[in-house]
Short mmCIF file of all heavy atoms in Angstrom, two decimals:
data_model
loop_
_atom_site.label_atom_id
_atom_site.label_comp_id
_atom_site.label_asym_id
_atom_site.label_seq_id
_atom_site.Cartn_x
_atom_site.Cartn_y
_atom_site.Cartn_z
N LEU A 1 10.54 -2.63 -5.82
CA LEU A 1 10.75 -1.76 -4.67
C LEU A 1 11.65 -2.45 -3.64
O LEU A 1 12.57 -1.80 -3.10
CB LEU A 1 9.48 -1.39 -4.01
CG LEU A 1 8.59 -0.30 -4.66
CD1 LEU A 1 7.23 -0.14 -4.00
CD2 LEU A 1 9.34 1.08 -4.70
N ARG A 2 11.46 -3.71 -3.41
CA ARG A 2 12.24 -4.44 -2.46
C ARG A 2 13.68 -4.52 -2.95
O ARG A 2 14.61 -4.38 -2.13
CB ARG A 2 11.68 -5.83 -2.21
CG ARG A 2 12.41 -6.57 -1.05
CD ARG A 2 11.71 -7.80 -0.63
NE ARG A 2 11.88 -8.89 -1.57
CZ ARG A 2 11.29 -10.04 -1.58
NH1 ARG A 2 10.47 -10.30 -0.56
NH2 ARG A 2 11.45 -10.95 -2.43
N GLU A 3 13.92 -4.69 -4.22
CA GLU A 3 15.24 -4.75 -4.78
C GLU A 3 15.95 -3.43 -4.57
O GLU A 3 17.20 -3.40 -4.57
CB GLU A 3 15.20 -5.09 -6.27
CG GLU A 3 14.84 -6.54 -6.54
CD GLU A 3 14.45 -6.87 -7.97
OE1 GLU A 3 14.61 -5.93 -8.83
OE2 GLU A 3 14.01 -7.99 -8.19
N LEU A 4 15.16 -2.29 -4.51
CA LEU A 4 15.83 -0.97 -4.26
C LEU A 4 16.23 -0.84 -2.78
O LEU A 4 16.82 0.17 -2.41
CB LEU A 4 14.87 0.13 -4.67
CG LEU A 4 14.64 0.28 -6.19
CD1 LEU A 4 13.55 1.32 -6.45
CD2 LEU A 4 15.98 0.68 -6.86
N GLY A 5 15.86 -1.79 -1.98
CA GLY A 5 16.25 -1.75 -0.54
C GLY A 5 15.11 -1.30 0.39
O GLY A 5 15.35 -1.23 1.60
N TYR A 6 13.92 -1.12 -0.10
CA TYR A 6 12.79 -0.72 0.78
C TYR A 6 12.29 -1.92 1.55
O TYR A 6 12.24 -3.06 1.03
CB TYR A 6 11.64 -0.11 0.00
CG TYR A 6 12.01 1.25 -0.69
CD1 TYR A 6 12.17 1.32 -1.99
CD2 TYR A 6 12.12 2.37 0.14
CE1 TYR A 6 12.50 2.53 -2.62
CE2 TYR A 6 12.44 3.59 -0.47
CZ TYR A 6 12.62 3.67 -1.78
OH TYR A 6 12.93 4.84 -2.38
N VAL A 7 11.85 -1.71 2.75
CA VAL A 7 11.21 -2.72 3.56
C VAL A 7 9.74 -2.63 3.44
O VAL A 7 9.02 -3.60 3.54
CB VAL A 7 11.66 -2.66 5.05
CG1 VAL A 7 10.99 -3.63 5.90
CG2 VAL A 7 13.17 -2.82 5.17
N TYR A 8 9.23 -1.42 3.30
CA TYR A 8 7.77 -1.18 3.14
C TYR A 8 7.55 -0.36 1.84
O TYR A 8 8.36 0.49 1.51
CB TYR A 8 7.22 -0.36 4.36
CG TYR A 8 7.38 -1.14 5.64
CD1 TYR A 8 8.42 -0.88 6.49
CD2 TYR A 8 6.43 -2.09 5.96
CE1 TYR A 8 8.58 -1.56 7.64
CE2 TYR A 8 6.59 -2.81 7.15
CZ TYR A 8 7.65 -2.55 7.99
OH TYR A 8 7.79 -3.25 9.14
N GLY A 9 6.43 -0.63 1.22
CA GLY A 9 5.99 0.14 0.06
C GLY A 9 4.69 0.77 0.32
O GLY A 9 3.91 0.34 1.18
N ILE A 10 4.39 1.88 -0.36
CA ILE A 10 3.13 2.53 -0.16
C ILE A 10 2.35 2.48 -1.48
O ILE A 10 2.82 2.73 -2.55
CB ILE A 10 3.38 4.04 0.22
CG1 ILE A 10 4.14 4.13 1.56
CG2 ILE A 10 2.07 4.84 0.25
CD1 ILE A 10 4.70 5.48 1.80
N ILE A 11 1.08 2.18 -1.34
CA ILE A 11 0.12 2.16 -2.47
C ILE A 11 -0.69 3.46 -2.27
O ILE A 11 -1.54 3.56 -1.39
CB ILE A 11 -0.74 0.93 -2.54
CG1 ILE A 11 0.13 -0.31 -2.63
CG2 ILE A 11 -1.71 1.01 -3.71
CD1 ILE A 11 -0.63 -1.65 -2.49
N GLY A 12 -0.42 4.46 -3.09
CA GLY A 12 -1.08 5.82 -2.88
C GLY A 12 -2.46 5.81 -3.46
O GLY A 12 -2.69 5.31 -4.57
N ASN A 13 -3.36 6.37 -2.70
CA ASN A 13 -4.72 6.63 -3.18
C ASN A 13 -5.30 5.37 -3.72
O ASN A 13 -5.87 5.32 -4.82
CB ASN A 13 -4.69 7.73 -4.24
CG ASN A 13 -6.03 8.42 -4.36
OD1 ASN A 13 -6.85 8.50 -3.39
ND2 ASN A 13 -6.33 8.98 -5.56
N ALA A 14 -5.17 4.25 -2.94
CA ALA A 14 -5.54 2.95 -3.46
C ALA A 14 -7.02 2.77 -3.80
O ALA A 14 -7.87 3.14 -3.01
CB ALA A 14 -5.18 1.91 -2.40
N GLY A 15 -7.29 2.32 -4.97
CA GLY A 15 -8.61 2.11 -5.42
C GLY A 15 -9.26 0.85 -4.88
O GLY A 15 -9.93 0.90 -3.85
N PRO A 16 -8.96 -0.32 -5.40
CA PRO A 16 -9.59 -1.55 -4.90
C PRO A 16 -8.86 -2.06 -3.65
O PRO A 16 -8.04 -2.97 -3.65
CB PRO A 16 -9.39 -2.50 -6.07
CG PRO A 16 -8.14 -2.07 -6.75
CD PRO A 16 -8.16 -0.55 -6.57
N ILE A 17 -9.17 -1.44 -2.52
CA ILE A 17 -8.47 -1.71 -1.29
C ILE A 17 -8.50 -3.26 -0.91
O ILE A 17 -7.48 -3.78 -0.57
CB ILE A 17 -9.09 -0.96 -0.08
CG1 ILE A 17 -8.82 0.57 -0.33
CG2 ILE A 17 -8.52 -1.37 1.26
CD1 ILE A 17 -9.51 1.51 0.66
N GLU A 18 -9.60 -3.86 -1.14
CA GLU A 18 -9.74 -5.32 -0.77
C GLU A 18 -8.76 -6.16 -1.62
O GLU A 18 -8.22 -7.14 -1.15
CB GLU A 18 -11.16 -5.80 -0.96
CG GLU A 18 -12.19 -5.14 -0.07
CD GLU A 18 -12.64 -3.72 -0.52
OE1 GLU A 18 -12.43 -3.39 -1.73
OE2 GLU A 18 -13.11 -3.01 0.36
N PHE A 19 -8.64 -5.80 -2.91
CA PHE A 19 -7.70 -6.50 -3.74
C PHE A 19 -6.25 -6.41 -3.21
O PHE A 19 -5.59 -7.42 -3.14
CB PHE A 19 -7.71 -5.89 -5.18
CG PHE A 19 -6.55 -6.32 -6.09
CD1 PHE A 19 -6.51 -7.58 -6.60
CD2 PHE A 19 -5.47 -5.48 -6.31
CE1 PHE A 19 -5.46 -7.99 -7.41
CE2 PHE A 19 -4.44 -5.87 -7.11
CZ PHE A 19 -4.41 -7.16 -7.63
N TYR A 20 -5.80 -5.29 -2.80
CA TYR A 20 -4.50 -5.08 -2.23
C TYR A 20 -4.34 -5.81 -0.89
O TYR A 20 -3.31 -6.37 -0.58
CB TYR A 20 -4.08 -3.63 -2.11
CG TYR A 20 -3.98 -2.97 -3.41
CD1 TYR A 20 -4.81 -1.85 -3.78
CD2 TYR A 20 -3.03 -3.35 -4.36
CE1 TYR A 20 -4.73 -1.23 -5.01
CE2 TYR A 20 -2.88 -2.70 -5.55
CZ TYR A 20 -3.74 -1.66 -5.88
OH TYR A 20 -3.63 -1.06 -7.10
N GLN A 21 -5.39 -5.77 -0.08
CA GLN A 21 -5.32 -6.44 1.23
C GLN A 21 -5.20 -7.96 1.02
O GLN A 21 -4.36 -8.58 1.65
CB GLN A 21 -6.57 -6.16 2.02
CG GLN A 21 -6.63 -4.73 2.55
CD GLN A 21 -8.03 -4.36 3.19
OE1 GLN A 21 -9.00 -4.78 2.78
NE2 GLN A 21 -7.84 -3.48 4.21
N LYS A 22 -6.00 -8.52 0.12
CA LYS A 22 -5.96 -9.95 -0.11
C LYS A 22 -4.66 -10.39 -0.83
O LYS A 22 -4.10 -11.42 -0.51
CB LYS A 22 -7.19 -10.31 -1.02
CG LYS A 22 -7.26 -11.73 -1.39
CD LYS A 22 -8.44 -12.04 -2.29
CE LYS A 22 -8.41 -13.41 -2.86
NZ LYS A 22 -9.26 -13.59 -4.00
N THR A 23 -4.25 -9.59 -1.78
CA THR A 23 -3.14 -10.01 -2.67
C THR A 23 -1.82 -9.86 -1.95
O THR A 23 -0.93 -10.76 -2.10
CB THR A 23 -3.10 -9.21 -3.97
OG1 THR A 23 -4.39 -9.39 -4.57
CG2 THR A 23 -2.07 -9.71 -4.94
N VAL A 24 -1.53 -8.77 -1.25
CA VAL A 24 -0.22 -8.52 -0.65
C VAL A 24 -0.26 -8.14 0.82
O VAL A 24 0.73 -7.69 1.42
CB VAL A 24 0.57 -7.41 -1.46
CG1 VAL A 24 0.93 -7.97 -2.87
CG2 VAL A 24 -0.18 -6.15 -1.56
N GLY A 25 -1.45 -8.33 1.49
CA GLY A 25 -1.56 -8.06 2.87
C GLY A 25 -1.40 -6.56 3.26
O GLY A 25 -0.98 -6.20 4.33
N ALA A 26 -1.81 -5.69 2.28
CA ALA A 26 -1.72 -4.22 2.51
C ALA A 26 -2.67 -3.84 3.68
O ALA A 26 -3.67 -4.45 3.91
CB ALA A 26 -2.13 -3.51 1.26
N ILE A 27 -2.25 -2.81 4.43
CA ILE A 27 -3.06 -2.23 5.49
C ILE A 27 -3.26 -0.74 5.21
O ILE A 27 -2.43 -0.08 4.67
CB ILE A 27 -2.48 -2.48 6.88
CG1 ILE A 27 -1.05 -1.85 6.98
CG2 ILE A 27 -2.41 -3.96 7.24
CD1 ILE A 27 -0.50 -1.90 8.40
N VAL A 28 -4.39 -0.28 5.59
CA VAL A 28 -4.79 1.17 5.47
C VAL A 28 -3.89 1.97 6.40
O VAL A 28 -3.77 1.67 7.57
CB VAL A 28 -6.24 1.39 5.72
CG1 VAL A 28 -6.57 2.94 5.69
CG2 VAL A 28 -7.11 0.67 4.74
N ILE A 29 -3.28 3.02 5.87
CA ILE A 29 -2.54 4.00 6.73
C ILE A 29 -3.56 5.00 7.23
O ILE A 29 -4.22 5.74 6.43
CB ILE A 29 -1.50 4.70 5.87
CG1 ILE A 29 -0.42 3.70 5.35
CG2 ILE A 29 -0.77 5.79 6.73
CD1 ILE A 29 0.52 4.31 4.34
N PRO A 30 -3.73 5.07 8.56
CA PRO A 30 -4.73 6.02 9.11
C PRO A 30 -4.45 7.50 8.68
O PRO A 30 -3.27 7.87 8.53
CB PRO A 30 -4.50 5.91 10.66
CG PRO A 30 -3.84 4.56 10.87
CD PRO A 30 -3.01 4.33 9.60
N ASP A 31 -5.50 8.23 8.50
CA ASP A 31 -5.43 9.65 8.16
C ASP A 31 -4.65 9.92 6.90
O ASP A 31 -4.03 10.93 6.79
CB ASP A 31 -4.90 10.47 9.37
CG ASP A 31 -5.80 10.34 10.60
OD1 ASP A 31 -7.00 10.30 10.48
OD2 ASP A 31 -5.14 10.25 11.66
N SER A 32 -4.69 8.99 5.97
CA SER A 32 -3.92 9.16 4.69
C SER A 32 -4.73 9.64 3.53
O SER A 32 -4.18 9.78 2.43
CB SER A 32 -3.22 7.89 4.31
OG SER A 32 -4.15 6.89 4.07
N ASP A 33 -5.98 9.85 3.70
CA ASP A 33 -6.83 10.34 2.62
C ASP A 33 -7.03 11.80 2.67
O ASP A 33 -7.43 12.35 3.80
CB ASP A 33 -8.24 9.64 2.75
CG ASP A 33 -9.12 9.90 1.53
OD1 ASP A 33 -8.67 10.44 0.54
OD2 ASP A 33 -10.30 9.54 1.63
N PRO A 34 -6.64 12.61 1.73
CA PRO A 34 -6.26 12.30 0.33
C PRO A 34 -4.78 12.21 0.14
O PRO A 34 -4.35 12.10 -1.00
CB PRO A 34 -6.83 13.46 -0.45
CG PRO A 34 -6.73 14.65 0.51
CD PRO A 34 -7.00 14.07 1.86
N GLY A 35 -4.00 12.27 1.18
CA GLY A 35 -2.51 12.05 1.02
C GLY A 35 -1.94 13.10 0.15
O GLY A 35 -2.23 14.31 0.20
N ILE A 36 -1.00 12.62 -0.74
CA ILE A 36 -0.27 13.58 -1.58
C ILE A 36 -1.14 14.17 -2.72
O ILE A 36 -0.68 15.05 -3.47
CB ILE A 36 0.99 12.91 -2.21
CG1 ILE A 36 0.61 11.77 -3.14
CG2 ILE A 36 1.96 12.51 -1.13
CD1 ILE A 36 1.69 11.41 -4.08
#
């Protein structure tokens, strides 16, 4: 994603939230459930 020029990426409908927070510093987007 970064190679495509994005500065931010979105993990949609994230399952193991803690995994993503710990691994890549992901943060929850408020009011994003259920999103797309």
Side-chain angles (χ1 to χ4, degrees):
L1 283 173
R2 187 168 74 186
E3 289 167 6
L4 289 174
Y6 294 108
V7 175
Y8 298 98
I10 299 168
I11 301 172
N13 203 29
I17 294 171
E18 296 79 21
F19 166 76
Y20 293 117
Q21 289 172 326
K22 177 183 169 194
T23 306
V24 293
I27 59 171
V28 174
I29 300 173
D31 301 320
S32 62
D33 187 10
I36 64 163

